[in-house]
Amino acid sequence: FPVEALSVPQPIRDFYLNSGIRSLYPPQSQAISAGLLDNKNVMISIPTASGKTLLAELAMLKSIESGGKALYIVPLRALASEKFRRFTEFRALGYETGISTGDLDLKDEYLGTNDIIVATSEKVDSLIRNETRWLSDISVVILDEVHLIDSPDRGPTLEIVITKLRRLNPKMQIIALSATIQNSKEVAQWLNASHVVSNWRPTKLYEGIYYDGVYCADVQTTGKSNNSEGSKLKNKDGTDAQTKTSPLEKKIIPVFIGREIDAAVSLVKDTLVDGGQCLVFESSRKNAVGFAKKAAPIISSLLTPLEKEELARIAFDIAEGSDTEAAAVLASCVRSGVSFHHAGLSAEQREIVEQSFLAGKIKMISSTPTLAAGLNLPARRVIIRSWKRYDANSGMQPIPVMEYKQMAGRAGRPHLDPYGEAVLIAAKEKDVELLTEKYIHSSPESIESKLGAENMLRTHVLSTLTNGFARNREQLIDFFKGTFFAHQHGLLSTISLTTVVDKCLDFLIENDMCREQKSEANKSETQKPETNKTEVKTPEKSKSAFQTADKLDPIEKKNSNSVYGNDSVLIPTTLGSTVSKLYIDPLSASVILEDVLKFKSGTKNLLEISPLGLLHLICKTTDMKLLYMKSGDYPWVSEFIADNAERFISIPDPVRVSEYEWFMGEVKTAVLLYRWISEVSENDISKEFDIGEGDLRNFSEIACWLSNAASRLCRLCGFSEESALFSDLELRLQYGASVDLLSLLKIRGIGRVRARKLYAAGFKSKDALKKSDYITVSGLVGPKIAEKIYRDIGLTMDAEELSRLKNTKTGHPK
Ligand code: ADP
């Protein structure tokens, strides 16, 4: 299918022609025939690198051309940035792109000025809860990696977001992109979409096994693939390269590490000698780092002096960016042309590693499976070093076929590699057949909705009510009938949904987040729920989000056994709608308010237990991510609890083993956060808790968001002192700083290290800085930051004066 024949305006066709795309790949042509450019819903389930993004782009551009707006939903923040960067290229066509992955409680109305908006599913959920107007203008939504509906923690939100968006914009086009999964047809049916499925890949993929020094590709799999790109490969000098095929069987020259042959290192060396790059998948972070370290000297010996020079520059940037030991290890690996990759890296480190690998400078990455989940980092050879993974409940378990296929799918860079090879390493002879059957000859599993559980539905039941998608129990159940869960489970789902929805309603009513009001005829019988926590006012009238609730289908009145009769309206309280907008689990809100109330009525004063007790309270909420307890943690955590008993709101009885164990995990996490806000260095924290910089950021970000929510909940309930405490805690968590720095930290551009330097020099507040002289301040924090500070605190200096000041030893701004 030639690009020239696409039914889109000429400038769009030219955009692609100019970037070298002249004709569509076969599955892309299938999607066009399925109505992608005719406003039809299309579910596309094709392998990695077979051109899903181009299809999403065409659908978006076509829709925008007709006056619409596109929403691109991604599962990961890192993926959002990657897509955002790509879509900003459409500025050449006059289209603007915006990205929204940040604070989950903000509306982001300004984003609506863009033609394309990229956001995570959580962010879209929050935008809906905050009734962001432009959502009603969306004409096409792209669901990237829609197979993640199967994920226990992220899937339910994705399902709900899709269901809500369809209600808001019934005419909206849906383009769903998925890896190959067994039941993609079922998802297509749910979305009322045409189904495009294909195994075609632009680069031939060989899937094989390495055992005892020999790599053997599986012929059955290679026969299925279809390589139309081979003949188009070019040599560096522009001449046509010979189409190469992977050897179906190859003896791999052994590399010894100590006295043993290392299979994976041998395979990596073999690829590099052949001019390719490698991705090695490991089962844990520790193994990923360990393997990079092990392979480093071998790979380093294959580098040219020029390559070494370039890598030294990249390593320098990594080492400059952070003073932790983990960063030093990463820098040293990168200097040798290898890297590791896992969620513990900081965003900056990940970015450097990914870009350097894409540019061919880093030759090998050893990674946990995070890299296989969507990031566009292909390599000639993908090595799956361990096909088993540790599971806390059941020990070492084989990885799912879907995960294997995602890793294998990364093999072969389109237009650059003559073929891709995925290699599983078999330790024993009998594993060769087992792995061939289990992974190479098997299809990926089916995906399954994870929406059915009460702890997943509670928050969505509340938001469905607060945004006016439903006003009574029957409308609620009707709403949930639009989910994939209901589609998958048919009639049965109605029964289980009804039970779970009723449980959620019980919770929300008990906790004052929603109340039941009998309709006009029975109004006198209305029972107002007891409120023992807050004086929560009910909004004047039940809100109808986006003013569309009246568009909802009329609900049939059916007899029901539930206590929530269909003649009663469910009205969210102010507390309920605040909780929904704050984007926290209603259970988290009730945990926070319950503990704050304990203080209000008890003998302990919340002001005295802070901040450790407050941090522990945050760690008690269901939204907080907790550190695992390792065997070495039990002695020190127990001792810590004993030494600080008076600082915890309550301590469970150790006889209740599992409850106490959970409590210890909360305490361990609270101590981590406590170290952070006590200005302990990131390196010391990383070592003490065996976590990466990326993890520390992640923990502090979640705690920061929950402290903000706690502060706002306290304010809503009229607890102003407590609200201020959480608000200070939020700021301390944001910067990782002690209370005495708070006043300085409110000035933009000052981090905790600079704030401490200023403080130590006697500049303890904005006012003190206002009386400072520029030379001293710039001596402490550097001229750039000094300028920023002065601008932020309202001291103006013209450029001439600034340059005079920089050149003299004294001076004070106007
Ligand atoms: P996926 O999202 O399916 O993993 P991508 O959309 O990222 O794959 O495509 C992989 C690569 O193939 C990109 O570099 C893209 O520019 C290129 N590509 C996509 N479609 C075509 C095409 N029809 N002709 C040539 N290159 C294409």
PDB file of all heavy atoms in Angstrom, residues 636-659:
ATOM      1  N   TRP A 636      16.912  -5.017  63.547  1.00  0.00           N
ATOM      2  CA  TRP A 636      16.976  -3.565  63.728  1.00  0.00           C
ATOM      3  C   TRP A 636      15.604  -2.903  63.731  1.00  0.00           C
ATOM      4  O   TRP A 636      15.365  -1.935  64.459  1.00  0.00           O
ATOM      5  CB  TRP A 636      17.951  -2.903  62.735  1.00  0.00           C
ATOM      6  CG  TRP A 636      17.466  -2.702  61.317  1.00  0.00           C
ATOM      7  CD1 TRP A 636      17.753  -3.490  60.244  1.00  0.00           C
ATOM      8  CD2 TRP A 636      16.642  -1.640  60.815  1.00  0.00           C
ATOM      9  NE1 TRP A 636      17.160  -2.998  59.109  1.00  0.00           N
ATOM     10  CE2 TRP A 636      16.467  -1.864  59.430  1.00  0.00           C
ATOM     11  CE3 TRP A 636      16.011  -0.539  61.381  1.00  0.00           C
ATOM     12  CZ2 TRP A 636      15.699  -1.018  58.606  1.00  0.00           C
ATOM     13  CZ3 TRP A 636      15.246   0.302  60.570  1.00  0.00           C
ATOM     14  CH2 TRP A 636      15.098   0.055  59.212  1.00  0.00           C
ATOM     15  N   VAL A 637      14.675  -3.452  62.926  1.00  0.00           N
ATOM     16  CA  VAL A 637      13.330  -2.835  62.921  1.00  0.00           C
ATOM     17  C   VAL A 637      12.674  -3.050  64.288  1.00  0.00           C
ATOM     18  O   VAL A 637      12.069  -2.123  64.855  1.00  0.00           O
ATOM     19  CB  VAL A 637      12.454  -3.373  61.761  1.00  0.00           C
ATOM     20  CG1 VAL A 637      11.035  -2.813  61.845  1.00  0.00           C
ATOM     21  CG2 VAL A 637      13.058  -3.014  60.407  1.00  0.00           C
ATOM     22  N   SER A 638      12.846  -4.261  64.864  1.00  0.00           N
ATOM     23  CA  SER A 638      12.251  -4.518  66.192  1.00  0.00           C
ATOM     24  C   SER A 638      12.827  -3.549  67.209  1.00  0.00           C
ATOM     25  O   SER A 638      12.095  -2.964  68.030  1.00  0.00           O
ATOM     26  CB  SER A 638      12.578  -5.932  66.671  1.00  0.00           C
ATOM     27  OG  SER A 638      12.143  -6.857  65.751  1.00  0.00           O
ATOM     28  N   GLU A 639      14.146  -3.394  67.162  1.00  0.00           N
ATOM     29  CA  GLU A 639      14.800  -2.499  68.116  1.00  0.00           C
ATOM     30  C   GLU A 639      14.306  -1.057  67.928  1.00  0.00           C
ATOM     31  O   GLU A 639      14.029  -0.346  68.885  1.00  0.00           O
ATOM     32  CB  GLU A 639      16.309  -2.564  67.864  1.00  0.00           C
ATOM     33  CG  GLU A 639      17.124  -2.222  69.090  1.00  0.00           C
ATOM     34  CD  GLU A 639      18.597  -2.503  68.811  1.00  0.00           C
ATOM     35  OE1 GLU A 639      18.928  -3.634  68.383  1.00  0.00           O
ATOM     36  OE2 GLU A 639      19.390  -1.588  68.994  1.00  0.00           O
ATOM     37  N   PHE A 640      14.163  -0.677  66.664  1.00  0.00           N
ATOM     38  CA  PHE A 640      13.719   0.685  66.363  1.00  0.00           C
ATOM     39  C   PHE A 640      12.316   0.926  66.932  1.00  0.00           C
ATOM     40  O   PHE A 640      12.036   1.970  67.517  1.00  0.00           O
ATOM     41  CB  PHE A 640      13.730   0.902  64.842  1.00  0.00           C
ATOM     42  CG  PHE A 640      13.451   2.323  64.440  1.00  0.00           C
ATOM     43  CD1 PHE A 640      14.497   3.229  64.286  1.00  0.00           C
ATOM     44  CD2 PHE A 640      12.146   2.776  64.268  1.00  0.00           C
ATOM     45  CE1 PHE A 640      14.244   4.554  63.935  1.00  0.00           C
ATOM     46  CE2 PHE A 640      11.884   4.083  63.935  1.00  0.00           C
ATOM     47  CZ  PHE A 640      12.941   4.986  63.760  1.00  0.00           C
ATOM     48  N   ILE A 641      11.459  -0.087  66.778  1.00  0.00           N
ATOM     49  CA  ILE A 641      10.083   0.054  67.277  1.00  0.00           C
ATOM     50  C   ILE A 641      10.120   0.220  68.808  1.00  0.00           C
ATOM     51  O   ILE A 641       9.459   1.096  69.374  1.00  0.00           O
ATOM     52  CB  ILE A 641       9.209  -1.151  66.861  1.00  0.00           C
ATOM     53  CG1 ILE A 641       9.045  -1.158  65.341  1.00  0.00           C
ATOM     54  CG2 ILE A 641       7.846  -1.115  67.547  1.00  0.00           C
ATOM     55  CD1 ILE A 641       8.410  -2.411  64.766  1.00  0.00           C
ATOM     56  N   ALA A 642      10.936  -0.623  69.460  1.00  0.00           N
ATOM     57  CA  ALA A 642      11.010  -0.554  70.925  1.00  0.00           C
ATOM     58  C   ALA A 642      11.532   0.816  71.378  1.00  0.00           C
ATOM     59  O   ALA A 642      10.988   1.422  72.306  1.00  0.00           O
ATOM     60  CB  ALA A 642      11.928  -1.669  71.434  1.00  0.00           C
ATOM     61  N   ASP A 643      12.552   1.328  70.706  1.00  0.00           N
ATOM     62  CA  ASP A 643      13.139   2.609  71.105  1.00  0.00           C
ATOM     63  C   ASP A 643      12.236   3.805  70.830  1.00  0.00           C
ATOM     64  O   ASP A 643      12.411   4.871  71.416  1.00  0.00           O
ATOM     65  CB  ASP A 643      14.460   2.851  70.342  1.00  0.00           C
ATOM     66  CG  ASP A 643      15.548   1.901  70.809  1.00  0.00           C
ATOM     67  OD1 ASP A 643      15.341   1.262  71.852  1.00  0.00           O
ATOM     68  OD2 ASP A 643      16.575   1.789  70.112  1.00  0.00           O
ATOM     69  N   ASN A 644      11.329   3.646  69.852  1.00  0.00           N
ATOM     70  CA  ASN A 644      10.519   4.807  69.451  1.00  0.00           C
ATOM     71  C   ASN A 644       9.026   4.587  69.663  1.00  0.00           C
ATOM     72  O   ASN A 644       8.201   5.225  69.009  1.00  0.00           O
ATOM     73  CB  ASN A 644      10.764   5.125  67.966  1.00  0.00           C
ATOM     74  CG  ASN A 644      12.188   5.558  67.719  1.00  0.00           C
ATOM     75  OD1 ASN A 644      12.529   6.717  67.938  1.00  0.00           O
ATOM     76  ND2 ASN A 644      13.032   4.623  67.296  1.00  0.00           N
ATOM     77  N   ALA A 645       8.708   3.682  70.592  1.00  0.00           N
ATOM     78  CA  ALA A 645       7.311   3.261  70.758  1.00  0.00           C
ATOM     79  C   ALA A 645       6.355   4.444  70.906  1.00  0.00           C
ATOM     80  O   ALA A 645       5.261   4.456  70.325  1.00  0.00           O
ATOM     81  CB  ALA A 645       7.191   2.337  71.958  1.00  0.00           C
ATOM     82  N   GLU A 646       6.779   5.465  71.644  1.00  0.00           N
ATOM     83  CA  GLU A 646       5.842   6.572  71.907  1.00  0.00           C
ATOM     84  C   GLU A 646       5.572   7.426  70.673  1.00  0.00           C
ATOM     85  O   GLU A 646       4.643   8.232  70.643  1.00  0.00           O
ATOM     86  CB  GLU A 646       6.352   7.434  73.085  1.00  0.00           C
ATOM     87  CG  GLU A 646       7.454   8.428  72.778  1.00  0.00           C
ATOM     88  CD  GLU A 646       8.811   7.779  72.455  1.00  0.00           C
ATOM     89  OE1 GLU A 646       9.020   6.551  72.643  1.00  0.00           O
ATOM     90  OE2 GLU A 646       9.677   8.520  71.983  1.00  0.00           O
ATOM     91  N   ARG A 647       6.349   7.199  69.615  1.00  0.00           N
ATOM     92  CA  ARG A 647       6.152   8.026  68.424  1.00  0.00           C
ATOM     93  C   ARG A 647       5.180   7.402  67.419  1.00  0.00           C
ATOM     94  O   ARG A 647       4.859   8.011  66.401  1.00  0.00           O
ATOM     95  CB  ARG A 647       7.504   8.310  67.757  1.00  0.00           C
ATOM     96  CG  ARG A 647       8.405   9.089  68.710  1.00  0.00           C
ATOM     97  CD  ARG A 647       9.827   9.058  68.265  1.00  0.00           C
ATOM     98  NE  ARG A 647      10.104  10.091  67.284  1.00  0.00           N
ATOM     99  CZ  ARG A 647      11.252  10.191  66.640  1.00  0.00           C
ATOM    100  NH1 ARG A 647      12.196   9.315  66.870  1.00  0.00           N
ATOM    101  NH2 ARG A 647      11.452  11.154  65.782  1.00  0.00           N
ATOM    102  N   PHE A 648       4.741   6.164  67.686  1.00  0.00           N
ATOM    103  CA  PHE A 648       3.758   5.553  66.791  1.00  0.00           C
ATOM    104  C   PHE A 648       2.370   5.700  67.385  1.00  0.00           C
ATOM    105  O   PHE A 648       2.200   5.635  68.600  1.00  0.00           O
ATOM    106  CB  PHE A 648       4.071   4.078  66.563  1.00  0.00           C
ATOM    107  CG  PHE A 648       5.383   3.870  65.860  1.00  0.00           C
ATOM    108  CD1 PHE A 648       6.501   3.430  66.546  1.00  0.00           C
ATOM    109  CD2 PHE A 648       5.501   4.166  64.502  1.00  0.00           C
ATOM    110  CE1 PHE A 648       7.707   3.264  65.899  1.00  0.00           C
ATOM    111  CE2 PHE A 648       6.704   4.008  63.848  1.00  0.00           C
ATOM    112  CZ  PHE A 648       7.821   3.561  64.555  1.00  0.00           C
ATOM    113  N   ILE A 649       1.417   5.846  66.496  1.00  0.00           N
ATOM    114  CA  ILE A 649       0.049   6.055  66.955  1.00  0.00           C
ATOM    115  C   ILE A 649      -0.449   4.804  67.678  1.00  0.00           C
ATOM    116  O   ILE A 649      -1.032   4.875  68.743  1.00  0.00           O
ATOM    117  CB  ILE A 649      -0.842   6.423  65.753  1.00  0.00           C
ATOM    118  CG1 ILE A 649      -0.313   7.749  65.188  1.00  0.00           C
ATOM    119  CG2 ILE A 649      -2.304   6.534  66.156  1.00  0.00           C
ATOM    120  CD1 ILE A 649      -0.729   8.072  63.792  1.00  0.00           C
ATOM    121  N   SER A 650      -0.198   3.661  67.084  1.00  0.00           N
ATOM    122  CA  SER A 650      -0.511   2.409  67.780  1.00  0.00           C
ATOM    123  C   SER A 650       0.409   1.324  67.245  1.00  0.00           C
ATOM    124  O   SER A 650       0.866   1.397  66.104  1.00  0.00           O
ATOM    125  CB  SER A 650      -1.981   2.017  67.564  1.00  0.00           C
ATOM    126  OG  SER A 650      -2.207   1.916  66.194  1.00  0.00           O
ATOM    127  N   ILE A 651       0.670   0.328  68.105  1.00  0.00           N
ATOM    128  CA  ILE A 651       1.550  -0.771  67.697  1.00  0.00           C
ATOM    129  C   ILE A 651       0.782  -2.074  67.866  1.00  0.00           C
ATOM    130  O   ILE A 651       0.258  -2.350  68.945  1.00  0.00           O
ATOM    131  CB  ILE A 651       2.828  -0.800  68.575  1.00  0.00           C
ATOM    132  CG1 ILE A 651       3.578   0.525  68.411  1.00  0.00           C
ATOM    133  CG2 ILE A 651       3.719  -1.997  68.219  1.00  0.00           C
ATOM    134  CD1 ILE A 651       4.831   0.650  69.249  1.00  0.00           C
ATOM    135  N   PRO A 652       0.669  -2.878  66.800  1.00  0.00           N
ATOM    136  CA  PRO A 652      -0.089  -4.117  66.954  1.00  0.00           C
ATOM    137  C   PRO A 652       0.641  -5.114  67.860  1.00  0.00           C
ATOM    138  O   PRO A 652       1.863  -5.034  68.026  1.00  0.00           O
ATOM    139  CB  PRO A 652      -0.185  -4.658  65.521  1.00  0.00           C
ATOM    140  CG  PRO A 652       0.834  -3.941  64.737  1.00  0.00           C
ATOM    141  CD  PRO A 652       1.197  -2.679  65.444  1.00  0.00           C
ATOM    142  N   ASP A 653      -0.120  -6.023  68.433  1.00  0.00           N
ATOM    143  CA  ASP A 653       0.449  -7.049  69.295  1.00  0.00           C
ATOM    144  C   ASP A 653       1.281  -8.023  68.447  1.00  0.00           C
ATOM    145  O   ASP A 653       0.773  -8.572  67.462  1.00  0.00           O
ATOM    146  CB  ASP A 653      -0.732  -7.801  69.946  1.00  0.00           C
ATOM    147  CG  ASP A 653      -0.246  -8.729  71.039  1.00  0.00           C
ATOM    148  OD1 ASP A 653       0.940  -9.122  70.965  1.00  0.00           O
ATOM    149  OD2 ASP A 653      -1.039  -9.044  71.936  1.00  0.00           O
ATOM    150  N   PRO A 654       2.565  -8.245  68.796  1.00  0.00           N
ATOM    151  CA  PRO A 654       3.399  -9.157  68.003  1.00  0.00           C
ATOM    152  C   PRO A 654       2.832 -10.568  67.888  1.00  0.00           C
ATOM    153  O   PRO A 654       3.234 -11.324  67.007  1.00  0.00           O
ATOM    154  CB  PRO A 654       4.735  -9.168  68.750  1.00  0.00           C
ATOM    155  CG  PRO A 654       4.744  -7.923  69.553  1.00  0.00           C
ATOM    156  CD  PRO A 654       3.327  -7.624  69.889  1.00  0.00           C
ATOM    157  N   VAL A 655       1.893 -10.920  68.770  1.00  0.00           N
ATOM    158  CA  VAL A 655       1.288 -12.256  68.675  1.00  0.00           C
ATOM    159  C   VAL A 655       0.508 -12.390  67.360  1.00  0.00           C
ATOM    160  O   VAL A 655       0.426 -13.465  66.769  1.00  0.00           O
ATOM    161  CB  VAL A 655       0.344 -12.492  69.882  1.00  0.00           C
ATOM    162  CG1 VAL A 655      -0.303 -13.863  69.807  1.00  0.00           C
ATOM    163  CG2 VAL A 655       1.131 -12.329  71.171  1.00  0.00           C
ATOM    164  N   ARG A 656      -0.054 -11.270  66.939  1.00  0.00           N
ATOM    165  CA  ARG A 656      -0.772 -11.319  65.649  1.00  0.00           C
ATOM    166  C   ARG A 656       0.296 -11.178  64.550  1.00  0.00           C
ATOM    167  O   ARG A 656       0.575 -10.083  64.038  1.00  0.00           O
ATOM    168  CB  ARG A 656      -1.799 -10.199  65.586  1.00  0.00           C
ATOM    169  CG  ARG A 656      -2.894 -10.365  66.664  1.00  0.00           C
ATOM    170  CD  ARG A 656      -4.170  -9.683  66.250  1.00  0.00           C
ATOM    171  NE  ARG A 656      -4.006  -8.244  66.137  1.00  0.00           N
ATOM    172  CZ  ARG A 656      -4.173  -7.384  67.142  1.00  0.00           C
ATOM    173  NH1 ARG A 656      -4.502  -7.821  68.343  1.00  0.00           N
ATOM    174  NH2 ARG A 656      -4.024  -6.090  66.960  1.00  0.00           N
ATOM    175  N   VAL A 657       0.869 -12.352  64.212  1.00  0.00           N
ATOM    176  CA  VAL A 657       2.118 -12.372  63.442  1.00  0.00           C
ATOM    177  C   VAL A 657       2.033 -11.605  62.115  1.00  0.00           C
ATOM    178  O   VAL A 657       2.853 -10.742  61.840  1.00  0.00           O
ATOM    179  CB  VAL A 657       2.575 -13.833  63.199  1.00  0.00           C
ATOM    180  CG1 VAL A 657       3.830 -13.864  62.351  1.00  0.00           C
ATOM    181  CG2 VAL A 657       2.825 -14.493  64.539  1.00  0.00           C
ATOM    182  N   SER A 658       1.002 -11.915  61.301  1.00  0.00           N
ATOM    183  CA  SER A 658       1.030 -11.307  59.959  1.00  0.00           C
ATOM    184  C   SER A 658       0.776  -9.798  60.049  1.00  0.00           C
ATOM    185  O   SER A 658       1.368  -9.020  59.306  1.00  0.00           O
ATOM    186  CB  SER A 658       0.049 -11.995  59.019  1.00  0.00           C
ATOM    187  OG  SER A 658      -1.244 -11.800  59.485  1.00  0.00           O
ATOM    188  N   GLU A 659      -0.066  -9.399  60.989  1.00  0.00           N
ATOM    189  CA  GLU A 659      -0.334  -7.961  61.159  1.00  0.00           C
ATOM    190  C   GLU A 659       0.944  -7.238  61.600  1.00  0.00           C
ATOM    191  O   GLU A 659       1.289  -6.156  61.115  1.00  0.00           O
ATOM    192  CB  GLU A 659      -1.426  -7.767  62.212  1.00  0.00           C
ATOM    193  CG  GLU A 659      -2.022  -6.386  62.216  1.00  0.00           C
ATOM    194  CD  GLU A 659      -3.031  -6.215  63.358  1.00  0.00           C
ATOM    195  OE1 GLU A 659      -3.670  -7.215  63.752  1.00  0.00           O
ATOM    196  OE2 GLU A 659      -3.141  -5.091  63.852  1.00  0.00           O
TER     197      GLU A 659
END
